[in-house]
Amino acid sequence: METPHILVVDDEKEITDLIEIYLTQEGYMVEKRYDAFTLIEDIVKYQIDLVILDIMMPEIDGIQALKMIREQYNIPVIIVSAKTADSDKIEGLLTGADDYVSKPFNAMELVARVKSQLRRYHVLNKPINHSSHLIEATDLIIDTQKKLVTLDGTPLALTRIEYEILVLLASQPGTVFSIDDIFEKIWQMKSNNSNNTIMVHIRKLREKIERQPRNPRHIKTVWGVGYKFEL
């Protein structure tokens, strides 16, 4: 695999420099920008594998920048922001961020999250060699070979994390996964106050695959335990 190329977008030079130091020590190539004006051009020009994005930037803020990315690309995006309220984290995740790290942050933890996101991204995009790649749940069909989910034959636009959560649950129908189980299997790191993160993704997933999200047919809540998938 080629050396991953990471784009860091933050208007604080000290932050971008710190992130660059730690990422280059791990062997990654890093591009730094202090605003999002050339964001899409940079992703294309440098074949960016992952973006680290601040929220509070002049002119084009991080949420706007994230929307620009998601209109065209499904690469991992980690938000690094001084905005620490739950509502800010939820907004970032709902807009399409794969992870959200609050400032001030531990640089080695950020590196671990980068590694986790890149590992998941490349594993998810590897071709599947086995034949049993269809999961059929009446109206819902999951094709793990094509990475395609359809409802009554209509393709659904899922984020990468929504897709991974769905495949995890649907691959073992009836099995109850705790929130920590889901976080650790999807993010491939230890869970740490991940309730809100998982709940947001489950809610958005239900809105897309369920006819009645408030009375879901497929993704069931097992109160006090976690979630399970029913065919």
Side-chain angles (χ1 to χ4, degrees):
M1 186 179 71
E2 294 183 2
T3 302
H5 211 145
I6 298 171
L7 176 62
V8 182
V9 187
D10 193 314
D11 62 341
E12 296 183 67
K13 186 177 186 300
E14 295 81 3
I15 296 292
T16 58
D17 288 348
L18 175 66
I19 294 174
E20 180 186 32
I21 289 170
Y22 278 85
L23 290 179
T24 53
Q25 286 178 347
E26 295 295 324
Y28 298 119
M29 294 187 291
V30 178
E31 299 298 327
K32 299 183 295 181
R33 297 293 181 271
Y34 307 116
D35 57 56
F37 289 116
T38 60
L39 177 64
I40 300 303
E41 292 89 337
D42 289 332
I43 290 175
V44 175
K45 179 179 180 180
Y46 297 104
Q47 298 182 326
I48 295 299
D49 297 286
L50 180 145
V51 178
I52 296 175
L53 189 63
D54 183 28
I55 288 184
M56 295 186 290
M57 296 186 294
E59 301 296 333
I60 302 174
D61 66 26
I63 296 298
Q64 291 174 294
L66 180 55
K67 290 178 180 177
M68 291 164 55
I69 295 172
R70 287 295 171 247
E71 285 176 358
Q72 301 184 51
Y73 301 102
N74 200 32
I75 57 175
V77 177
I78 299 176
I79 287 179
V80 177
S81 176
K83 301 181 76 172
T84 59
D86 285 346
S87 59
D88 295 315
K89 296 178 182 179
I90 290 171
E91 181 183 17
L93 293 169
L94 289 180
T95 304
D98 296 282
D99 206 348
Y100 194 111
V101 178
S102 299
K103 295 177 182 178
F105 57 86
N106 181 299
M108 289 308 298
E109 179 185 350
L110 178 60
V111 170
R113 290 175 181 269
V114 166
K115 289 181 177 180
S116 174
Q117 290 296 333
L118 288 171
R119 184 165 56 245
R120 288 194 307 106
Y121 179 69
H122 289 298
V123 167
L124 182 62
N125 284 279
K126 283 183 179 179
I128 295 176
N129 295 319
H130 57 77
S131 58
S132 56
H133 58 270
L134 289 180
I135 302 172
E136 299 185 50
T138 59
D139 54 345
L140 188 71
I141 298 177
I142 305 165
D143 187 330
T144 58
Q145 193 170 54
K146 297 180 179 178
K147 310 291 190 297
L148 177 67
V149 180
T150 59
L151 182 64
D152 287 334
T154 302
L156 302 179
L158 303 184
T159 67
R160 186 174 68 259
I161 287 183
E162 289 166 357
Y163 173 80
E164 290 183 30
I165 292 175
L166 178 60
V167 170
L168 172 66
L169 298 178
S171 295
Q172 302 182 60
T175 300
V176 179
F177 291 87
S178 70
I179 286 176
D180 286 346
D181 287 337
I182 296 171
F183 187 90
E184 290 172 12
K185 289 178 184 299
I186 300 302
W187 274 263
Q188 297 184 16
M189 59 193 304
K190 293 294 292 181
S191 173
N192 182 21
N193 297 323
S194 56
N195 286 31
N196 280 344
T197 299
I198 300 301
M199 288 172 64
V200 167
H201 287 301
I202 292 289
R203 188 179 77 203
K204 294 299 292 183
L205 186 53
R206 281 173 169 162
E207 290 174 356
K208 294 177 180 180
I209 73 167
E210 303 281 6
R211 298 183 188 280
Q212 300 179 54
R214 293 182 180 276
N215 184 28
R217 174 178 184 174
H218 298 300
I219 299 181
K220 301 283 191 178
T221 300
V222 181
W223 294 106
V225 183
Y227 300 95
K228 66 177 181 177
F229 187 89
E230 292 188 356
L231 297 174

